[in-house]
Amino acid sequence: MEHIRTPKVEQVKLLDRFSNKSVTGTLHLTATHLIFVESNSTSAQEIWILHHHIASVEKLSLTTSGCPLLIQCRNFRLVHFVIPRERDCHDIYSSLLRLLRPVSYDELYAFSYNPKQNDQQREEGWQLIDLAAEFERMGVPCDQWQLTDVNREYKRFPPNICIGLVKSVVPHLLCFSNVLQGGGHLYLFVSCLQAAVCRCSQPLSGFSARCLEDEHMLQAISKANHNSRYIYVMDTRPKLNALANRAAGKGYENEDNYSNIRFQFVGIENIHVMRGSLQKLLEGVGTRSLSMTDYLVGLENSGWLRHIKAIMDAAIFLAKAVTVEGASVLVHCSDGWDRTAQVCALGSLLMDPYYRTIKGFMVLIEKDWISFGHKFADRCDQLDPDPKEVSPIFTQFLECVWQLTEQFPQAFEFSEWFLIQIHEHVHSCQFGNFLGNSQRQREDLQLKERTYSLWAHLLSENQNYLNPLFSPSFAESHPVLEPSTQAYHFKFWRNMYNQYDRSMHPRQSILKHVLTLQESNRELEGTVQALKTKLQKFGVNTSPLKPQTPPREEDAPASTGGERTVEGSSATENSYGELMGSFGSKNEPGVVTLEFGVARMTC
Amino acid sequence: MEFAELIKTPRVDGVVLRRPFMPTVEGTLCLTGHHLILSSRQDNTEELWLLHANIDSTEKRFVGSLGTIIVKCKDLRVIQLDIPGMEECLNIASSIEALSTLDSVSLMYPFFYRPLFEVIEDGWQSFVPEESFKDLESMTDEWRLSEVNKDFSVCPSYPSLLTVPRDIDDESLCKAASFRHGGRFPVLSYYHKKNGMVIMRAAQPLTGTNGRRCKEDEKLINATLCAGKRGYIIDTRTIAVAQQAKARGGGFEQEANYPQWRRIHKAIERSNVLQDSLIKLVEACNDQSHSMDRWLSKLEASNWQSNVKEILTTACLAAQCIDREGASVLVHGTEGTDSTLQVTSLAQIILDPACRTIRGFEVLIEREWLQAGHPFQQRCAQSAYSNGKLRSEAPVFLLFLDCVWQILRQFPCSFQFNENLLIMLFEHAYASQFGTFLGNCVAERGKLQLSQKTVSLWSWVNRPQELERFLNPLYEPNNLVIWPSVAPQSLLLWEGVFLRWNRSTKCLDEAYQEMVHIIEYNKELQNKVNSLRRQLAQLETEDKMVADLK
């Protein structure tokens, strides 16, 4: 609190990003949030911005109406305030600068957030997602694979854990192997074909170095799979990057040294390219009065969708190798926690319907991202790190999943709001799950004792994230998803990158509408049951119900007077509510109003 | 002329049909006067019946004696026929070529088509101008129905009955007509019940380089303004294009002569540019290279989405003038038969809930496109695969449908019809067994005696069996004005048309079915609850009566 000099400023204007509209209200600064409350009593919208969500604050030069403050958030919200007095603006600005750069983990919201649960509830929340159970589900340990605690103290490979190992590999061999693999980590996935997906970091091969233990290791993985004589090694980097790494004593596997490997580059760009790409994308879609040409050119120049497609292509390659050829695959990039995580996680999602359920998706993130050491703290800029370490790697993974939901509307138990909500909380630092850079760090921080789990929170409100069209039988008929990778199937994810620009969204949402209907169906089923029980008290057997149903003519008035009104109005209110929201007497569609304004000026 | 002369080889066996995302079919190819038919002559296999009129262009190539004809259709589908025998292949190719480019309208299929269904409601009689005028009369007495164009001499592209301001006599109308391109003087297009504002449409005024004026024209459009009110003239062309039109005798309304009107210029492209845009877009959609950069750059270069955005924006502007500003609007471009109609009809969809029902939408198409004289036959003679010299082809109507689809996407619960209706209209505008879209204007349709000699599309669409396919299960009547977003992020590529043949829709179709199922189940449950409640109430009263008796 000592950083807050001015906790409240009145008469602050909030400008709309894409039109000339503005609303006036009061700005509150608290220890965790920046809050804007509109003064208009009827609509009185409130905007709550978590300090951790703020990526940058900018004070623009003074204008006649006041001092503009531009705030960009990591969840793609962009707010533009105009504060009447410059001193207030400066106070807010400098407070925010301090607040959005926490210096120690203890300052993060997760350590002060309390959803009014007791210790037991918190503990239960953390136990909801259990990786040991997940390995059991995958059938590990088995005759070919065992679990190892070689990394028990995080000594060998400091940041990460190591779970699965081929039985025939003796531990001391592993030590050498991992020296060569650059502090790497191995992991497995066992499909019904006994093919495994393993991951690691790049080998420290340089131009000529060899490591016999590493070669044996790969051979052991290969031999553990009886269905295929060879194993794929996927280097997810572009070949040029891998070559450049050789000069630094790293590089990629030499096919001559490893027996029966098939080596493949898949060409996903590095974190710096991805960071720049998102930056360009956001600049493009954040422009006012954006023309279609500028939009499409911006989309192309950002390269964003090209990168998304590259990740998808790699995951499809992985899934095909395992499911069609029955081969094991070893995936790596440079460090093994960015591109490798994307490809392994997405590949698993394509192959195993379990990961397409709400709980399964949590397990997948817990396994492939959290436990294998994706550096969330660095990549998501949690704790004033090196800006060069920030990169939207996880966001890209979420987007790939969204692209799949577009092609397979019935395959996923969750809707896009689930993905967006996870994205929100990866950056919010409100829950402990994504804090820190590795499992070891998380244990050091005692997150399970001091913070709450996001998964428990999401599961408690999972009805908001359900996909009403999800069909479990779809998983049976499509155990493996085979998405098309034609360029036109990849779309711009408006609901993510323009999620706060409500004027761009469809004014009526099919998703919401069908969800409401489905909920109403459940209620009605209950009502039918209750009525049947009551009728039974009168000794009426309800099975021959249909013949007793009176003709339609009599039916009509009763239905409009009774249940139907209730049902009908809830659905209508829903869609009308949205309409009213965007078309209340003073609100006009932003873009059109703007066009009109321009048109008037020219004539 | 006999079709038989054009068909040298009417039948070939062992032809293989290849289509993307569908199994290949081997069978017998037959050519008739109007159809290309391929049948495997086995039960349960799909037959291909393709109207020659649907064929946009063909290509042939040979590998040894196996010939291949690639048939590109106006509905954007591309199919491949492998025909054994070089001579047969050449004959078939030349027959298809000849039969798909017949010049004479009276040889078209609609004149030969006999419906297999009973026509219960004749679509030719469904939409009578007098009746829609009756509706108008009930709201206002400011307008009258004029018969000045009875014999189509004042304006050949207008229908015989026109709604004009009551105070303007026929003689003034004739004078105003002589001042407008093609005689298309300002007429009523839409009356906004809420505030009495109107949309009128016309063609450009013939001011020429020396600034001609016409008192009758000025009086005509001023008659639509209430005292002290101002109106907007929306010229769908840029000011530069409008200036250039002066040199060819056209032009625009000068402020000095129309002081009560504000003129706004927009930039909807002319027809030949639009045709080029369509060709490029379809080429991009058929590119199989899988390269993201290439796709995005081709999509951008086609300018199709820009055209959609511009048309929609102009329509929103017109609607905004009416509903928000409370001002009447006159819309025109050059001829007043293309961009003008896009704008006036889309504005009505935004403003008028009736246009969002199936019947209302049919009436809108009949009134604002067919009767208003959009030259369907010229514009839809060729589609995206046209490689010959183009005359006046342009996807003006397709762009309109695309814009309607965009609004439908943004307001999925506000339309009684679904995407299928729009796709069906696109298909039938380009090739059809029905006569509705033949001819270029009412006068031509009269001469062709379409209403006697052909079946109307509406006779078929409005049959309950067909109608089902076009109903939107999410529909809940919505009486509000619906304002679509025209931000580029909100406008999508219309996959249902442009990627229709390039993707498998199985997963999407099944998801749609699931949605329909949820909605229908809801209705069923509600009915069940109601009947159970009634039954219970009845039993309770009986019970009470018994108790009372005791």
Side-chain angles (χ1 to χ4, degrees):
Chain A
M1 285 307 270
E2 70 271 25
H3 309 300
I4 300 171
R5 264 179 284 179
T6 310
K8 183 177 170 187
V9 187
E10 295 191 17
Q11 290 297 313
V12 174
K13 259 195 211 149
L14 171 69
L15 304 186
D16 187 274
R17 188 176 172 191
F18 294 104
S19 71
N20 297 322
K21 279 187 300 179
S22 70
V23 290
T24 310
T26 310
L27 200 61
H28 302 267
L29 190 60
T30 75
T32 54
H33 288 85
L34 179 70
I35 306 160
F36 175 81
V37 183
E38 202 185 320
S39 354
N40 186 324
S41 56
T42 50
S43 60
Q45 63 157 335
E46 281 181 23
I47 296 178
W48 287 59
I49 299 170
L50 198 62
H51 297 326
H52 298 308
H53 270 146
I54 299 176
S56 72
V57 193
E58 218 181 319
K59 217 174 81 177
L60 307 179
S61 49
L62 199 67
T63 65
T64 48
S65 54
C67 193
L69 193 66
L70 197 64
I71 298 174
Q72 254 174 325
C73 300
R74 296 194 178 91
N75 55 5
F76 311 116
R77 189 201 279 273
L78 193 137
V79 282
H80 191 161
F81 292 118
V82 179
I83 299 172
R85 292 195 330 171
E86 202 197 348
R87 241 199 65 205
D88 292 336
C89 183
H90 187 77
D91 281 353
I92 298 271
Y93 173 72
S94 40
S95 300
L96 281 178
L97 274 193
R98 174 62 190 82
L99 287 166
L100 69 88
R101 292 268 172 270
V103 285
S104 76
Y105 276 104
D106 292 346
E107 285 182 43
L108 295 179
Y109 185 34
F111 294 100
S112 57
Y113 171 68
N114 185 353
K116 299 205 171 59
Q117 287 180 356
N118 58 32
D119 287 354
Q120 196 196 340
Q121 284 170 310
R122 174 167 62 199
E123 215 168 290
E124 279 167 11
W126 280 110
Q127 282 160 359
L128 281 172
I129 301 301
D130 177 9
L131 280 189
E134 167 62 8
F135 279 95
E136 214 165 281
R137 192 190 69 87
M138 293 198 297
V140 177
C142 60
D143 56 343
Q144 297 294 333
W145 294 85
Q146 64 181 8
L147 296 179
T148 173
D149 57 356
V150 66
N151 198 29
R152 187 176 47 237
E153 309 278 326
Y154 302 103
K155 273 183 189 149
R156 296 204 194 285
F157 335 109
N160 304 300
I161 56 167
C162 175
I163 300 174
L165 268 188
V166 184
K167 268 195 178 165
S168 58
V169 178
V170 284
H172 83 269
L173 197 93
L174 179 82
C175 310
F176 292 105
S177 168
N178 276 277
V179 172
L180 184 79
Q181 294 269 351
H185 36 281
L186 289 158
Y187 135 84
L188 77 158
F189 159 85
V190 180
S191 79
C192 51
L193 298 163
Q194 298 292 305
V197 176
C198 304
R199 49 187 278 182
C200 63
S201 54
Q202 64 184 341
L204 303 174
S205 59
F207 289 100
S208 56
R210 285 182 67 166
C211 174
L212 285 175
E213 288 79 2
D214 192 62
E215 289 162 23
H216 282 152
M217 178 92 185
L218 244 80
Q219 198 158 20
I221 296 175
S222 177
K223 278 196 178 143
N225 176 8
H226 303 305
N227 296 312
S228 175
R229 283 183 29 251
Y230 49 86
I231 173 170
Y232 277 101
V233 176
M234 276 175 83
D235 190 327
T236 55
R237 298 168 293 183
K239 189 170 184 185
L240 209 63
N241 299 22
L243 279 172
N245 263 304
R246 285 171 82 168
K250 299 164 189 169
Y252 55 93
E253 291 81 357
N254 183 342
E255 273 181 277
D256 299 337
N257 297 339
Y258 294 83
S259 50
N260 296 327
I261 70 166
R262 294 197 173 177
F263 193 83
Q264 178 80 31
F265 285 110
V266 289
I268 302 173
E269 297 288 351
N270 65 24
I271 57 167
H272 311 294
V273 175
M274 299 309 191
R275 179 177 57 242
S277 172
L278 180 65
Q279 186 65 33
K280 280 190 208 157
L281 179 82
L282 294 177
E283 272 165 29
V285 300
T287 315
R288 270 178 79 150
S289 333
L290 183 62
S291 77
M292 186 58 83
T293 303
D294 290 344
Y295 165 68
L296 290 172
V297 168
L299 208 55
E300 185 195 341
N301 288 345
S302 75
W304 183 257
L305 287 176
R306 190 182 63 220
H307 300 316
I308 295 293
K309 180 167 144 56
I311 298 165
M312 193 81 96
D313 282 334
I316 293 170
F317 179 90
L318 171 69
K320 278 206 176 131
V322 173
T323 58
V324 179
E325 297 185 45
S328 293
V329 185
L330 176 69
V331 185
H332 72 73
C333 47
S334 298
D335 298 313
W337 49 55
D338 293 313
R339 291 171 268 210
T340 303
Q342 289 176 327
V343 173
C344 287
L346 199 60
S348 307
L349 193 82
L350 290 176
M351 289 185 277
D352 190 342
Y354 174 63
Y355 298 128
R356 298 173 218 147
T357 61
I358 286 186
K359 195 146 180 206
F361 194 65
M362 292 173 178
V363 169
L364 183 69
I365 291 176
E366 194 69 40
K367 174 165 67 84
D368 265 317
W369 292 89
I370 297 176
S371 81
F372 283 109
H374 176 65
K375 302 205 292 178
F376 279 104
D378 284 356
R379 298 290 178 260
C380 303
D381 199 11
Q382 287 169 354
L383 203 65
D384 198 20
D386 184 356
K388 285 218 168 85
E389 285 287 310
V390 178
S391 189
I393 301 302
F394 188 69
T395 309
Q396 287 184 318
F397 165 67
L398 293 178
E399 171 161 347
C400 287
V401 177
W402 175 78
Q403 301 282 0
L404 288 173
T405 63
E406 285 286 289
Q407 284 197 38
F408 304 101
Q410 292 192 277
F412 293 84
E413 191 188 4
F414 47 85
S415 69
E416 67 174 329
W417 298 116
F418 183 60
L419 301 173
I420 292 172
Q421 196 65 15
I422 291 175
H423 181 264
E424 178 92 3
H425 285 299
V426 165
H427 293 92
S428 73
C429 302
Q430 185 175 348
F431 297 93
N433 308 56
F434 301 104
L435 300 191
N437 275 326
S438 66
Q439 196 71 352
R440 180 183 196 170
Q441 203 177 6
R442 276 184 276 274
E443 278 177 25
D444 290 347
L445 286 169
Q446 295 177 297
L447 291 177
K448 292 195 176 173
E449 289 80 51
R450 300 171 62 201
T451 69
Y452 294 87
S453 166
L454 170 66
W455 307 134
H457 170 72
L458 291 179
L459 282 172
S460 72
E461 49 178 39
N462 78 337
Q463 74 282 359
N464 296 342
Y465 308 120
L466 290 175
N467 167 17
L469 304 180
F470 171 63
S471 146
S473 64
F474 185 89
E476 281 157 34
S477 52
H478 301 75
V480 180
L481 294 184
E482 292 170 47
S484 160
T485 58
Q486 276 285 1
Y488 43 66
H489 285 299
F490 293 83
K491 295 171 211 158
F492 171 68
W493 192 6
R494 179 194 55 216
N495 288 2
M496 175 63 103
Y497 305 107
N498 285 117
Q499 59 177 300
Y500 290 97
D501 306 307
R502 298 299 302 172
S503 65
M504 285 179 188
H505 294 223
R507 308 310 163 89
Q508 295 171 323
S509 150
I510 296 182
L511 177 66
K512 242 189 211 174
H513 190 93
V514 178
L515 265 182
T516 315
L517 280 181
Q518 210 171 38
E519 211 165 291
S520 129
N521 283 356
R522 271 190 293 273
E523 272 170 35
L524 285 170
E525 275 171 353
T527 318
V528 168
Q529 270 315 316
L531 286 170
K532 277 187 178 170
T533 324
K534 275 191 192 168
L535 278 171
Q536 261 160 9
K537 283 187 193 149
F538 286 97
V540 179
N541 186 5
T542 43
S543 49
L545 175 83
K546 286 227 158 125
Q548 290 179 14
T549 312
R552 297 283 296 168
E553 292 81 50
E554 287 175 47
D555 208 355
S559 65
T560 44
E563 192 69 22
R564 185 165 243 147
T565 334
V566 180
E567 285 311 322
S569 64
S570 77
T572 346
E573 261 166 31
N574 220 331
S575 49
Y576 271 44
E578 282 180 66
L579 279 176
M580 288 307 187
S582 22
F583 303 117
S585 54
K586 56 187 182 357
N587 290 338
E588 286 177 19
V591 194
V592 179
T593 314
L594 179 72
E595 287 284 338
F596 193 52
V598 172
R600 250 197 308 212
M601 274 193 287
T602 52
C603 66
Chain B
M1 185 187 67
E2 285 292 318
F3 293 117
E5 290 168 23
L6 297 173
I7 305 172
K8 283 174 226 152
T9 306
R11 226 186 86 173
V12 190
D13 289 322
V15 174
V16 178
L17 165 70
R18 297 177 201 279
R19 291 169 293 184
F21 298 102
M22 293 212 237
T24 52
V25 180
E26 190 180 334
T28 305
L29 179 77
C30 295
L31 285 188
T32 72
H34 292 105
H35 283 96
L36 181 155
I37 303 158
L38 190 119
S39 165
S40 62
R41 296 206 234 172
Q42 279 161 10
D43 293 337
N44 306 324
T45 49
E46 198 195 311
E47 291 183 338
L48 174 77
W49 282 71
L50 190 67
L51 261 183
H52 292 314
N54 190 3
I55 295 172
D56 210 20
S57 72
T58 54
E59 281 167 27
K60 48 182 183 290
R61 45 169 201 251
F62 293 94
V63 180
S65 67
L66 181 78
T68 294
I69 303 180
I70 295 173
V71 179
K72 299 182 173 183
C73 304
K74 288 175 187 164
D75 60 14
L76 309 183
R77 148 173 52 163
V78 177
I79 60 173
Q80 183 181 329
L81 296 166
D82 293 344
I83 300 170
M86 191 179 291
E87 198 193 329
E88 284 86 350
C89 183
L90 283 172
N91 284 347
I92 296 280
S94 70
S95 300
I96 295 176
E97 175 84 30
L99 290 164
S100 62
T101 52
L102 291 177
D103 263 340
S104 165
V105 184
S106 55
L107 290 177
M108 301 295 254
Y109 185 52
F111 289 95
F112 299 83
Y113 170 73
R114 292 293 158 258
L116 290 171
F117 58 89
E118 190 194 348
V119 176
I120 300 162
E121 184 193 327
D122 186 0
W124 292 114
Q125 311 303 327
S126 295
F127 311 103
V128 190
E130 284 92 336
E131 267 179 28
S132 51
F133 184 74
K134 262 184 215 149
D135 286 346
L136 180 67
E137 246 181 340
S138 68
M139 297 182 276
T140 171
D141 57 356
E142 298 283 306
W143 299 84
R144 70 184 180 93
L145 216 47
S146 165
E147 291 187 355
V148 67
N149 199 34
K150 197 167 48 200
D151 51 2
F152 307 107
S153 59
V154 177
C155 171
S157 62
Y158 269 165
S160 51
L161 287 173
L162 290 158
T163 313
V164 296
R166 193 191 52 197
D167 301 334
I168 305 296
D169 56 27
D170 282 359
E171 199 182 323
S172 306
L173 291 178
C174 292
K175 283 192 179 141
S178 66
F179 180 63
R180 293 272 172 180
H181 190 117
R184 294 175 69 94
F185 56 88
V187 296
L188 180 80
S189 163
Y190 170 68
Y191 180 86
H192 197 45
K193 213 190 294 183
K194 193 169 110 190
N195 58 11
M197 294 302 128
V198 295
I199 300 179
M200 284 179 299
R201 49 178 160 76
Q204 65 174 349
L206 303 174
T207 55
T209 40
N210 50 11
R212 242 180 90 205
R213 64 186 286 191
C214 170
K215 290 276 182 203
E216 286 77 10
D217 186 74
E218 292 160 24
K219 206 176 135 205
L220 168 57
I221 70 167
N222 285 340
T224 64
L225 294 178
C226 311
K229 275 273 190 183
R230 295 166 69 104
Y232 290 90
I233 295 174
I234 298 178
D235 191 327
T236 61
R237 309 161 293 178
T238 60
I239 179 77
V241 174
Q243 288 280 9
Q244 284 162 16
K246 282 185 176 176
R248 288 188 298 274
F252 52 86
E253 296 83 355
Q254 294 293 343
E255 288 84 348
N257 302 338
Y258 297 84
Q260 286 163 285
W261 295 81
R262 275 183 180 164
R263 206 178 62 247
I264 303 170
H265 288 274
K266 299 298 289 180
I268 301 181
E269 290 289 358
R270 285 185 53 81
S271 54
N272 53 342
V273 180
L274 297 181
Q275 182 70 11
D276 193 43
S277 173
L278 175 67
I279 292 172
K280 282 188 184 152
L281 174 71
V282 172
E283 209 248 291
C285 292
N286 288 342
D287 186 328
Q288 298 292 318
S289 71
H290 288 255
S291 153
M292 183 58 72
D293 287 358
R294 198 159 146 172
W295 158 246
L296 287 173
S297 98
K298 279 184 158 191
L299 178 65
E300 186 275 312
S302 79
N303 251 334
W304 183 267
Q305 294 296 94
S306 299
N307 289 319
V308 169
K309 179 169 154 61
E310 189 62 30
I311 293 165
L312 209 49
T313 307
T314 311
C316 289
L317 175 69
Q320 194 155 18
C321 293
I322 298 277
D323 191 66
R324 299 276 167 206
E325 299 284 311
S328 287
V329 178
L330 169 68
V331 185
H332 71 73
T334 306
E335 289 101 344
T337 54
D338 297 291
S339 57
T340 308
L341 304 182
Q342 289 172 332
V343 173
T344 56
S345 53
L346 285 168
Q348 293 179 49
I349 286 172
I350 293 167
L351 293 168
D352 186 1
C355 293
R356 300 173 218 142
T357 64
I358 290 194
R359 284 298 174 127
F361 192 63
E362 288 171 5
V363 172
L364 183 77
I365 297 212
E366 186 71 31
R367 187 163 41 85
E368 286 301 294
W369 289 88
L370 291 161
Q371 311 243 1
H374 175 66
F376 275 100
Q377 198 175 311
Q378 286 175 8
R379 296 286 181 258
C380 301
Q382 295 260 265
S383 168
Y385 301 116
S386 48
N387 41 20
K389 204 170 149 261
L390 293 169
R391 289 165 300 222
S392 37
E393 289 80 358
V396 176
F397 186 62
L398 175 58
L399 269 165
F400 158 73
L401 294 174
D402 195 330
C403 291
V404 176
W405 179 80
Q406 304 285 351
I407 307 178
L408 174 63
R409 276 291 301 225
Q410 296 187 27
F411 295 89
C413 308
S414 298
F415 288 79
Q416 193 190 16
F417 53 87
N418 60 20
E419 182 182 6
N420 293 339
L421 183 78
L422 302 174
I423 298 175
M424 182 276 293
L425 286 170
F426 158 61
E427 288 174 337
H428 284 273
Y430 278 86
S432 176
Q433 65 268 44
F434 304 105
T436 300
F437 291 109
L438 291 182
N440 289 310
C441 57
V442 175
E444 268 187 48
R445 283 186 205 107
K447 268 189 219 132
L448 289 167
Q449 295 179 292
L450 291 181
S451 60
Q452 293 100 57
K453 293 185 172 169
T454 72
V455 181
S456 162
L457 174 66
W458 313 126
S459 306
W460 173 71
V461 172
N462 288 333
R463 299 172 70 231
Q465 301 93 307
E466 299 300 330
L467 218 46
E468 188 126 339
R469 201 154 58 87
F470 304 123
L471 286 175
N472 176 9
L474 294 163
Y475 178 56
E476 278 174 8
N478 164 11
N479 280 321
L480 297 172
V481 175
I482 53 176
W483 298 107
S485 160
V486 295
Q489 292 96 317
S490 310
L491 303 176
L492 307 170
L493 177 73
W494 190 7
E495 297 182 7
V497 164
F498 298 110
L499 300 179
R500 184 177 177 189
W501 313 102
N502 297 337
R503 58 171 189 169
S504 157
T505 55
K506 193 170 158 279
C507 291
L508 302 180
D509 294 343
E510 283 169 5
Y512 184 82
Q513 281 314 316
E514 177 62 25
M515 184 187 78
V516 173
H517 170 75
I518 292 173
I519 296 167
E520 274 169 6
Y521 184 50
N522 188 261
K523 283 181 195 148
E524 198 182 301
L525 278 174
Q526 283 178 10
N527 286 336
K528 198 163 187 178
V529 164
N530 288 330
S531 75
L532 284 173
R533 285 222 166 117
R534 216 174 4 265
Q535 202 181 350
L536 190 65
Q538 205 176 356
L539 283 170
E540 274 167 351
T541 15
E542 278 170 19
D543 217 34
K544 199 163 163 270
M545 275 161 66
V546 173
D548 286 348
L549 281 175
K550 278 180 187 165

